[in-house]
Amino acid sequence: MLAREVLEELVRVLGRENVLTEQEDLLTYAYDATAAMKHHKPDVVVAPLSTEQVADVVKIALRYHVPIYTRGSGTNLSGGTIPVEGGMVLSMLHLNKILEVDQDNLTATVQPGVIIQALNDEAAKHGLLYPPDPGTVTTATMGGSVSECSGGLRGLKYGVTKHYIMGLQMVLANGEVTRWGGKTVKNVTGYDLVALFTGAEGTLGIITEIIVKLIPAPEARKSMLAVFDDVDKAGRAIAAIIRNKVIPATLEILDNVTIQTVENFVHAGLPMDAEAVLLCEVDGYKEVVQREAVLVERIMKEEGAVQLKIAKDDKERDLLWLARRSALPALAQKRPTTVLEDATVPRSKIPDMLKAIRRIATKYNLQIATFGHAGDGNLHPTIITDERDAEEMKRVHLAVDEIFETALALGGTLSGEHGIGIAKMKYLNREFGEAGVAALKRIKEALDPNYLLNPGKIVRRD
Amino acid sequence: MLAREVLEELVRVLGRENVLTEQEDLLTYAYDATAAMKHHKPDVVVAPLSTEQVADVVKIALRYHVPIYTRGSGTNLSGGTIPVEGGMVLSMLHLNKILEVDQDNLTATVQPGVIIQALNDEAAKHGLLYPPDPGTVTTATMGGSVSECSGGLRGLKYGVTKHYIMGLQMVLANGEVTRWGGKTVKNVTGYDLVALFTGAEGTLGIITEIIVKLIPAPEARKSMLAVFDDVDKAGRAIAAIIRNKVIPATLEILDNVTIQTVENFVHAGLPMDAEAVLLCEVDGYKEVVQREAVLVERIMKEEGAVQLKIAKDDKERDLLWLARRSALPALAQKRPTTVLEDATVPRSKIPDMLKAIRRIATKYNLQIATFGHAGDGNLHPTIITDERDAEEMKRVHLAVDEIFETALALGGTLSGEHGIGIAKMKYLNREFGEAGVAALKRIKEALDPNYLLNPGKIVRRD
């Protein structure tokens, strides 16, 4: 419970309508999109209208030792916005303006509450594109996606969120308003705090303004579906495409379990008996798209694709991608709980990782569907389960442990795009060792010595 | 002077041949490529053979409070490797192996002493390219270029060093060996220390291994030279190219002073009376190069280019780029001291910045030649002077101050690619404010509380 005077100070700064304390309001901020996580209600939810108000709120929080959890749409997948220690959720709801699209410098300046798709729609009016493309593009906010360094379907060719963040306005844990980076393509002034704040999950500062890089929108694209009767062959096809110097915009895989579930859900014409399908899109100038599509087609055949379907028009293309985008919702319908993991390995290890996931599913007698961004090594093994079944959940946790052990053993990482949050903190030592985790903690404590900002995430106080 | 026992311990770890203390050895490490800087001799120069030896050296340095300055080829341009507080220069001379080129994952793994061009030569054997392209590509080391986050001629299309660094092995200031990042395209595990260490000028840790991203080498390229009788027109041409959605690999400018000096030096056929020339190269698939070259040509004409010269073959192309690459050596021949600055603004502000530089040259009665990476907003105003002339140097310093004031006022930054080092520390407050500089200091002190690593650079102990 917060002291009455804290609430009074917050109301004085923000107005009564932007300080929520009703139980039904607090309940909706007790969880995020991560499955099987304990809920934690905040004591208050505040929604500032300006950077200055954010700074004032931080100063109040600092004075009364109230934890702050900055929140966009709460679509994150590692528990990153759950208010585990109580305190204040700071909602970016009202800071939702696209401040500028600058065509000469190929940048946009946005507030953190802007939905990613809204930026894309605005950029498209100028023939420009903001490439990061997480599955939640129509609901997630820019602030959240910068804080989690979202990935998505275009990572292979275009990179991820961090490759597009040029400048940030940050309110630090001491309430100071600072600016980092800007609109210059090159910038080596001081340490790269723009990069450090990106992906820091709101634990090092609060983003109040973002300058992103835009690129000219590709003029053409072509999508195709390749069907394989063997996962290894699909893996070899991926490697062969890259070795032939083609970098598709998107190169996704769906395994058999996912194919069957998706097909029953959206009827996109996926072959129910395929062991794996690859979904590939090349984009760019129309001549390039033509050349690359022909080359990819030839490689898929050479590597043993039993069927190949090239989208003839936008309608066919959209249906293919609807199939891919439906993977998670389709799987989520099968049983009450969907544990969506984020195993990431070097691209060349995709066949090994797929085999390991099947072995782990058998070993723990679990249903695991796997789909994901094969071209960039980022797979989403998804355990279809029921969190009310304690015995099964025990096996789920053991399977997840083993998936991460395997990813690390293959030269991978704990998280490609979902973040550490609270879900993966316990594994951090395995990736970085004690010396590495100690270094992360020193960074945290340098910028937030009181663990005021999103406490209990990434690294924890001793 | 170092205590005798420090030297004995260093010799025990490294062998006598890798611990240099002769005055003539020390003298060559007292400066770097930065003009008009006070020299400082180190007390000892050591050259480790392995990561373990680096860690052992750091532990000795920690025990005896000896500063460490990690050094590659010493080509840096902001005093970043000068041993200002005495102590130990750690030379990466022996750690010069390319450990791997991984074609499937499009990565290379190198030791820090590898020359950038050597990596490029190795990558080229596989049809791959490491895009960062600083002027010193044939002499600078990978470790140095990561530490300074080198830029160069391809920043506009391909970005700079930080966009290609995927993993680092780092010896921290406490002597611990840590690994960050790896070969995965996506990685959001913990804070992005790969990005933080990149561009940190050796002040936060010592790089002992680097994993870089490679890209397929473009199959074709076309270069052209456009001549303008007015700098503004050249600036407008740059903006028009970008607005037409063409992102050239390289888009460089030379002003009249530079043109005349270069032409006298290399006889490349530059027009002596031109106010500015733009040098542009487009690259990629041959069809793309064809389309983009035609478009750029048309835009240059529309924006008032009085002459246009398209390189017909590699020989003509090489001559054009020799002209550009000769800018600095040609200017350096004119007078004893060449103060090469690094003023960086958003691309759209290039005409304003060029005008301001001319105004400043007149105001302080100095000869300033300007050339640089116009396409990415990174200009190199170069003051041709003589450091023995104290009165003129006073005006030089005032001019440099005013150049940076102007860059910041135009939304630019203190350094696009040369770093802060010691040369630009005094300006940091103007870009970040006190709160920002304090945050940088807290980062420094989190990872190097004793200011052991490259002390006196970027931020200084209180």
Side-chain angles (χ1 to χ4, degrees), chain A residues 375-433:
Chain A
D376 62 33
N378 178 210
L379 292 176
H380 294 309
T382 303
I383 308 179
I384 316 299
T385 183
D386 184 343
E387 62 182 307
R388 295 163 305 184
D389 183 338
E391 185 278 328
E392 181 164 323
M393 286 310 285
K394 231 180 249 170
R395 286 183 280 122
V396 168
H397 291 308
L398 290 169
V400 169
D401 280 3
E402 205 161 321
I403 287 170
F404 287 124
E405 292 287 1
T406 309
L408 291 180
L410 291 171
T413 183
L414 290 175
S415 179
E417 56 182 21
H418 292 175
I420 298 304
I422 43 183
K424 296 187 187 170
M425 279 178 76
K426 64 172 177 172
Y427 303 109
L428 265 192
N429 257 316
R430 298 190 207 170
E431 180 152 343
F432 293 131

Side-chain angles (χ1 to χ4, degrees), chain B residues 374-448:
Chain B
D376 62 32
N378 178 209
L379 292 176
H380 294 308
T382 303
I383 309 178
I384 317 299
T385 182
D386 184 344
E387 60 182 307
R388 296 163 304 186
D389 183 338
E391 185 278 327
E392 180 164 325
M393 286 310 285
K394 232 181 251 173
R395 286 183 278 124
V396 168
H397 293 307
L398 289 171
V400 168
D401 280 2
E402 204 161 323
I403 286 171
F404 287 123
E405 292 288 0
T406 309
L408 290 181
L410 291 170
T413 183
L414 290 174
S415 178
E417 56 181 21
H418 292 176
I420 298 303
I422 42 183
K424 295 184 189 173
M425 281 177 75
K426 65 171 175 170
Y427 303 109
L428 266 191
N429 257 317
R430 298 189 207 171
E431 180 152 344
F432 294 131
E434 271 182 40
V437 174
L440 295 182
K441 275 187 67 124
R442 291 196 298 273
I443 297 285
K444 166 70 175 175
E445 289 170 7
L447 293 178
D448 181 21

Side-chain angles (χ1 to χ4, degrees), chain A residues 131-205:
Chain A
D133 185 33
T136 50
V137 66
T138 56
T139 43
T141 63
M142 286 299 298
S145 71
V146 174
S147 292
E148 298 289 332
C149 186
S150 299
L153 274 67
R154 298 198 191 106
L156 172 57
K157 179 169 177 177
Y158 291 106
V160 298
T161 300
K162 68 180 169 189
H163 299 111
Y164 295 89
I165 307 307
M166 297 178 71
L168 291 173
Q169 184 188 57
M170 300 292 304
V171 176
L172 301 184
N174 56 12
E176 297 272 10
V177 180
T178 56
R179 282 191 176 272
W180 307 93
K183 287 190 185 179
T184 65
V185 173
K186 291 174 176 169
N187 184 323
V188 293
T189 302
Y191 303 130
D192 190 352
L193 292 208
V194 173
L196 184 65
F197 290 128
T198 301
E201 305 191 20
T203 66
L204 301 181

Side-chain angles (χ1 to χ4, degrees), chain A residues 49-245:
Chain A
L49 297 165
S50 67
T51 299
E52 292 62 39
Q53 287 192 355
V54 173
D56 287 342
V57 166
V58 170
K59 284 174 194 156
I60 295 169
L62 187 61
R63 206 151 56 234
Y64 295 99
H65 304 287
V66 182
I68 303 177
Y69 311 87
T70 309
R71 185 178 174 114
S73 299
T75 55
N76 39 303
L77 290 165
S78 54
T81 54
I82 301 177
V84 287
E85 299 188 7
M88 184 194 311
V89 164
L90 190 146
S91 164
M92 286 301 182
L93 183 69
H94 298 317
L95 291 172
N96 62 354
K97 277 164 214 65
I98 296 172
L99 302 171
E100 182 193 50
V101 172
D102 179 340
Q103 290 191 76
D104 285 337
N105 292 306
L106 298 181
T107 62
T109 305
V110 303
Q111 290 185 318
V114 167
I115 303 296
I116 305 171
Q117 187 60 49
L119 169 60
N120 259 327
D121 292 344
E122 191 58 36
K125 291 180 195 164
H126 305 278
L128 299 172
L129 176 73
Y130 173 70
D133 185 33
T136 50
V137 66
T138 56
T139 43
T141 63
M142 286 299 298
S145 71
V146 174
S147 292
E148 298 289 332
C149 186
S150 299
L153 274 67
R154 298 198 191 106
L156 172 57
K157 179 169 177 177
Y158 291 106
V160 298
T161 300
K162 68 180 169 189
H163 299 111
Y164 295 89
I165 307 307
M166 297 178 71
L168 291 173
Q169 184 188 57
M170 300 292 304
V171 176
L172 301 184
N174 56 12
E176 297 272 10
V177 180
T178 56
R179 282 191 176 272
W180 307 93
K183 287 190 185 179
T184 65
V185 173
K186 291 174 176 169
N187 184 323
V188 293
T189 302
Y191 303 130
D192 190 352
L193 292 208
V194 173
L196 184 65
F197 290 128
T198 301
E201 305 191 20
T203 66
L204 301 181
I206 298 173
I207 299 171
T208 48
E209 207 175 289
I210 305 161
I211 301 175
V212 302
K213 171 185 167 177
L214 302 174
I215 64 168
E219 68 174 15
R221 58 193 183 184
K222 190 162 258 184
S223 291
M224 69 183 80
L225 174 88
V227 180
F228 292 87
D229 57 10
D230 176 339
V231 171
D232 272 358
K233 287 181 190 166
R236 280 199 297 270
I238 295 165
I241 291 167
I242 304 298
R243 256 203 319 276
N244 277 277
K245 314 281 188 276

